[in-house]
Amino acid sequence: MAHSYRNLLLFAAVGLLFILTGIFQSWNLSLQILNIGILSAIMALGVNMQWGYAGLFSTGVVGSVALGGLAVVVVSAPPVPEAFAAGGWTVLGGLVLGVAVIVAATLLYRSMKPGRARGLAVAAVVVMGFFLYRYVFDSGVAAVEAFNPATYGNIGGFGLPSLLAWPVGALFAGIAAWVIGKIALGLRSDYLAIATLGIAEIVVVVLKSEDWLARGVKNITGLPRPWPVPLEVDLQADAGFVDFVTRWGWEPIGASTILVKLLYMALFGTVLLVLIWGSERALNSPWGRMMRAIRDNEIAASAMGKNVTKRHLQVFIIGSAVVGLAGAMLTSMEGQLVPGVYSPLRFTFLIWVMVIVGGSGNNWGSVLGGLLLGWLWLAVEYLGPNLMGYITAALPPGDLKTHLIDSAQHMRLVTLGVVLLLVLRFAPRGLIPEK
Amino acid sequence: MDILNAFVALLNFVIVPGVAYGSQLALGALGVTLIFAVLRFSNFAHGDTMAFGTAIVIMVTWLLQSWGISFGPLPTALLALPFGIAVTAGLVLLTDRGIYRFYRRQKAAPIILVIVSAGVMFVMNGLVRLIIGVEERNFTDGERFLLDAQTFKAATGLAEPLVIKTTVAVTVVIAVLCVAALFWFLQNTRTGKSMRAFSDNEDLALLSGINPDRVVQVTWIIAAALAVIAGTLYGLDKSFRPFVYFQLLLPVFAAAVVGGLGSPLGAIAGGYIVALSEVVLTYAWKKVATYVLPDSMAPDGLMQLLSTDYKVAVSFAILIIVLLFMPTGIFKGK
Amino acid sequence: MADTPFLIGENMTGGYGTVDILHNCTIAVNKGEIAVIVGPNGAGKSTAMKATFGMLNLRGGRVVLDGEDITKLTPQARVRKGMGFVPQTHNIFTGMTVEENLEMGAFIRDDETGIKETMDQIYSLFPILHEKRNQAAGELSGGQRQQVAVGRALMTKPSVLLLDEPTAGVSPIVMDELFDRIIEIARSGISILMVEQNARQALDIADKGYVLVQGANRFTDTGQALLADPEVRRSFLGG
């Protein structure tokens, strides 16, 4: 009883932070931080499944987020029929060919007896397959990217509703997790951390440099909003809406941005609640108990006949899919895919700090951590330079002062690292410990 | 003549840069592998330790330059190196004392130490940005070339030049010296042997009266020194940007894993394997091919297997192959 | 003299965690003698020996070495007091040469010439080690590895040597050979406390034997007397 009281108090305190931000800064800012906070909380839920339930440490959270973002482009970006006609099929054919080569090499490897002949055969398939793949793929890419590169140069999406992209984001991240988990799970625990670091970097590089896919660093903007969120300009043009808000004494522009954010909040909040409900049920089911048994004593669990690696793979995929879902939601809210924002510090390590500060193994803890650190991270971005400005007010203007004010943003990293280390050391169970 | 030209082009664009980069990776991977051998975790803060040390070296280099001190034809940064090593070793020892030791005494699972090292990485990353900012820094001075294009062409009469930058020569020489010194230390000194014994069998090392705190401290100091040297050589050869050093973590890990985590010899081999694969796969082979192939077969593309953006994919692919086929690495690590 | 043993673990009670494994167990060895602990599986033989070496928490009893109470000392400190310990497994540095293994054994000593002397003694005790001194210890056969392990422990010039099943997994011929060496070591004045699975052969060379059952002393006598005792024979030596 005392526990739930304490937890309620913690959530109330975080709620107060958002209310104070609303009162002293602006409600627009507060809601914006809250929405990103909810998305962070979902990502934290996913990471918590991996770490809290199963003790898996992945350093590739950002990769799942980015794959979620890519799903939004694939599903909901407007089609570019001319570009697709020019080379879309060739590109896809090239990709299928690439996968086919890998499958062929794997089958060959499995079917032949170990020895030099097998090594040579597999190498030959891989090398020839690679050149064939590049030949087909490159010609397709050239054709796609040649079409109107200033606006398009990509194969476009399906032009489907943005909401559909969310499960697809989960699917993309899940597939990537399956591949990497298949390889790195069951080995030393460090290997998963190292391998996921790599796959995440590769995903981000693909997004940055494959222009045919999502225009690379030229970014894709103007992605459609998820139902039922309208565009602010449409609201402002809507006579009924303007009439309604002016009657209440609000000005239409501000009210439209607030309404849009409230709708996002409701949408994201619903997803979050459904996920928590699902995770809580899973955690308290026989499956969840087995998961925790494996985490706490792998050797004993495998002695009891549990296939530890398979269970790990399962939970690793589910956790990554949840992160991918949140990544898709983030991109569909922002309405654009900017590969440059996918920094490992922001989307891998910040999420980790959320999980650990909130309480590893506790879903509510992850949500609390997500909201609290989501607020801190963004609030400090706005407040940090101001604060440094106050601190250095007495200094004469000059290099030192500019340097200090500029450095406020770097203090975020240091602070976050110190918070992580302090929590790990002095309160390893986090704010809301596992039951 | 064309064959010779092709060979010189190969040397100039693939072998020489590959060996220099490989030496830098090998030194970095040695640090990772030593920490792994003795403290038994993969240190995610190693890339940022390299960045931190290099940042200090750059600051001291600027100071020395402002005093008008230089190192003749060699980069001034080499004079600043000892200071960078001292400061970084101090910082790393502090983190061990204040952070890692607690978990060691608790006998925490390696994965906890990995997470803790990620926390340290965060802090160091922030410190580096605070100290020196996020911009690209060039701090190379002294003679630019050991062998420049014109001298080579004049001497050999070949169309293709072979250029050896001073920084490349310095990298290779220092890497060889470091590796030789490290192996001599590990094989022939009491402290070095005690490190190997501790890594081989910790319980038995304790029974033999080896002081674990001392072994751990010496390991951190050596790892820090290697990190600073690797980081500085990389920075001299290319340039310094904090974010790039974070990204070096992957090739460094790949090198250490390929060789076998915990095996110093493996780390060196791994460094060169990763670096040469990276250069070979991202080099545009058109030039070499033009010399070797008859005119009728002259290539029209760049003949580049992977765009340089995908350098990271090379380390990753190597890592995956090793994990799939020989998880303990070439030299049988742990 | 025989009344005050060189090393004694007296009335030891305790275990690794909260559950006690030893109950009022007493183990002792006299100067230059061989004491052997035997008993069925899970009787706490190794635990009793490790207890005298400080590797578990004692809730009761004490350990006295040469008249000095060492109950509170860590294993490392006991090494410095003259105790040598050879674990049952993982008892050598597999990646290091035989000679380096011996050097590491002498890590706490710093008399260069003394170390050399001890090493020569060990080489004359185990000539095969001298032959293979530059080979990695991990590449040796089982019996040779045990010799390296014993040799490493002897490098500290211990006054008492604890051996945890030194003949586990070696052939009968090698076992006899090892026991001969152990007698030789004891004759040089080093007390030997040893846990053995091969009870009959071990009691045969023992000056003192301890039969433990469920962490408590069941029979204590000279090795020969135990071998002659019909009850010991029936219950523990298979007739």
Side-chain angles (χ1 to χ4, degrees), chain A residues 183-194:
Chain A
I183 295 168
L185 285 171
L187 301 170
R188 291 187 48 85
S189 51
D190 312 35
Y191 284 166
L192 183 70
I194 299 174

Side-chain angles (χ1 to χ4, degrees), chain A residues 8 30 35 98 126 162 209 252 260 270 294 344 351 357 380 392 394 434:
Chain A
L8 223 54
S30 175
N35 283 336
V126 170
S162 190
S209 41
V260 163
T270 312
I294 290 178
I351 307 294
V357 169
V380 169
T392 56
E434 186 182 349

